[in-house]
Each structure stands twice: as C-alpha cells, then as structure tokens.
C-alpha cells in the first residue's frame, strides 16, 4: 500500500478522571473483586479507576507491558496501590489467562466477580483489510478475539457468572 504512513498521533495520554459524586453514589460495587484486561491504558484504565471509586475491594489489572502497569498504579491509580494486583502477559495466551485468575483468587480470596475485557490491538495495524498481511491479521484476531474467549471460557467452566 504505497501511500500508507503509520504514526502515533500524540503520545501523551489524557488523565483518567474519577467519577463524579452523583455517578459514584448511584454505582456501588463495595466488596467486589474485579479483573480488567487491557488495564494499563484507555478504557481498561478508566474502568479500573471507576471501579475503585465505586468501592471495589480489589482489582487484578492485566496488560502486556509490566512498565505500563507500573505507570498506571503510580499515575492515575495512585493511592489505590493496595487494592491493585498487576499481571503482565499476552492475553491471547491461555497460560496468561490461567495465571491472572489464579493471582486474582490468591490476592482477593475469591474469583473475580466483575470482569472487564478491554485488551485489544489495532492502532499499529490500521491498514485496509485487502492490504493487511496474514500474520498481522492473525495477531489482531488472536488478541482481540481469543483475548476475550479465553477468560470467558475459564469463568464458565468454574461456574462464575
């Protein structure tokens, strides 16, 4: 694709706002344990902040990059470190899914009661489908689809709803 130019526009990310008092009072999950994939940025990070503000007892935050996870807990989630467990790994790998559930149970004493699946990739691969290489397509599908299916399968086989 000759005119294709991939670039990341604006490398700084906006801050993650906390929920307003009105929203927070209407949305409470006190004492619930949560698991969030793709939790180091974007919707995953915003979800983590919202769930912590809403009273979650603990959140297992999963993302590919340990450095990004560390930035999340020293930045937007600062002050909540005692309620956040970090798990780094590729969500499309079954072993990572097993590990995140195991770590969540160990840390919070129960399987997560709230699961938010936000892991996904696309930004680096924004090309028309007809020009996308098969290997890139396979990677996007593995992360975006298997990355949701594996956790759902784990929770279904363990009787979680």
């Amino acid at each position: 694709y000759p005119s294709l130019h991939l670039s990341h526009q604006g490398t700084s990310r906006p801050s993650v706002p906390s929920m307003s008092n009105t929203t927070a009072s209407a949305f409470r999950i006190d004492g619930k344990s949560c698991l969030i994939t793709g939790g180091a940025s974007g919707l995953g990070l915003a979800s983590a902040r919202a769930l912590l503000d809403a009273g979650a007892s603990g959140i297992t935050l999963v993302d590919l990059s340990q450095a990004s996870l560390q930035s999340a807990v020293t930045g937007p989630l600062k002050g909540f470190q005692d309620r956040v467990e970090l798990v780094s790994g590729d969500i499309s790998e079954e072993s990572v899914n097993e590990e995140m559930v195991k770590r969540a149970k160990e840390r919070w004493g129960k399987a997560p009661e709230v699961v938010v699946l936000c892991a996904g990739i696309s930004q680096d691969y924004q090309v028309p489908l007809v020009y996308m290489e098969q290997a890139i397509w396979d990677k996007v599908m593995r992360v975006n689809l298997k990355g949701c299916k594996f956790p759902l399968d784990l929770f279904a086989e363990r009787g979680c709803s």
Side-chain angles (χ1 to χ4, degrees):
Y1 191 63
S3 64
L4 179 66
H5 175 69
L6 299 177
S7 67
H8 297 283
Q9 298 172 336
T11 57
S12 64
R13 293 195 168 120
S15 62
V16 178
S18 60
M19 291 178 20
S20 69
N21 287 339
T22 304
T23 304
S25 64
F27 176 74
R28 301 298 309 166
I29 58 164
D30 297 308
K32 302 280 186 196
S33 67
C34 308
L35 183 140
I36 302 173
T37 67
S41 63
L43 287 173
L45 182 56
S47 297
R49 180 58 192 250
L51 293 171
L52 288 164
D53 285 343
S57 61
I59 292 185
T60 303
L61 208 56
V62 185
D63 208 278
L64 185 59
S65 166
Q66 182 67 29
S68 296
L69 287 165
Q70 288 295 331
S71 293
V73 296
T74 59
L77 302 180
K78 189 175 184 165
F80 293 106
Q81 291 95 328
D82 62 325
R83 292 168 47 200
V84 178
E85 175 75 13
L86 305 177
V87 178
S88 63
D90 182 345
I91 194 69
S92 71
E93 299 294 328
E94 194 167 2
S95 62
V96 171
N97 283 269
E98 292 282 350
E99 179 68 13
M100 70 185 188
V101 173
K102 177 181 166 232
R103 298 256 307 271
K105 284 181 174 180
E106 288 172 356
R107 178 76 187 267
W108 314 118
K110 56 187 170 182
E113 300 160 284
V114 176
V115 178
V116 181
L117 304 173
C118 293
I121 58 173
S122 70
Q123 186 172 4
D124 293 338
Y125 309 113
Q126 291 181 354
V127 298
L129 287 177
V130 296
Y131 299 109
M132 187 176 283
E133 296 173 23
Q134 187 63 46
I136 293 172
W137 172 258
D138 290 344
K139 182 177 182 180
V140 170
M141 293 300 104
R142 197 172 55 249
V143 172
N144 294 357
L145 297 179
K146 275 189 168 181
C148 289
K149 177 110 173 69
F150 280 150
L152 294 175
D153 288 347
L154 285 172
F155 289 106
E157 74 185 34
R158 290 178 170 96
C160 303
S161 56

